[in-house]
């Protein structure tokens, strides 16, 4: 995960949250930079497309964001 991934990450988040009214894009972007710098951000890709993402806190032991595009994940899981 690198700072260069932020535009694609933000596009992904906007798809996943689907209009969450409390979302502040600029605040989120600045916080994401901190997670990336601290190596506490992960993305899962299907070729170039982000299909899953997570940010977590090692200090708190919490998952602060977890998102996936469910239709893509389910299709790729044998037996579902």
């Amino acid at each position: 995960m690198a700072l260069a991934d932020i535009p694609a990450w933000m596009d992904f988040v906007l798809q996943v949250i689907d209009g969450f009214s409390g979302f502040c894009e600029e605040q989120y972007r600045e916080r994401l930079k901190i997670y990336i710098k601290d190596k506490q951000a992960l993305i899962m890709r299907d070729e170039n497309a982000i299909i899953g993402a997570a940010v977590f806190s090692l200090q708190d032991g919490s998952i602060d964001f977890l998102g996936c595009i469910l239709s893509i994940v389910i299709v790729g899981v044998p037996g579902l």
Side-chain angles (χ1 to χ4, degrees):
M1 179 79 211
L3 292 175
D5 293 314
I6 289 177
W9 179 295
M10 295 303 294
D11 290 343
F12 171 79
V13 167
L14 292 172
Q15 288 178 22
V16 171
I17 65 168
D18 193 27
F20 176 67
S21 62
F23 182 70
C24 177
E25 190 172 340
E26 194 52 43
Q27 260 183 344
Y28 185 87
R29 185 185 314 276
E30 291 306 310
R31 187 79 178 125
L32 180 58
K33 290 176 185 176
I34 295 168
Y35 283 110
I36 293 169
K37 180 179 106 3
D38 293 343
K39 300 190 182 324
Q40 296 179 66
L42 304 170
I43 54 177
M44 181 180 4
R45 293 184 182 269
D46 180 15
E47 297 187 17
N48 290 328
I50 296 175
I51 60 171
V55 293
F56 54 92
S57 170
L58 293 173
Q59 181 180 9
D60 299 336
S62 62
I63 298 172
D64 298 334
F65 175 81
L66 177 63
C68 69
I69 298 177
L70 194 56
S71 60
I72 294 173
V73 174
I74 288 177
V75 168
V77 177
L80 289 181

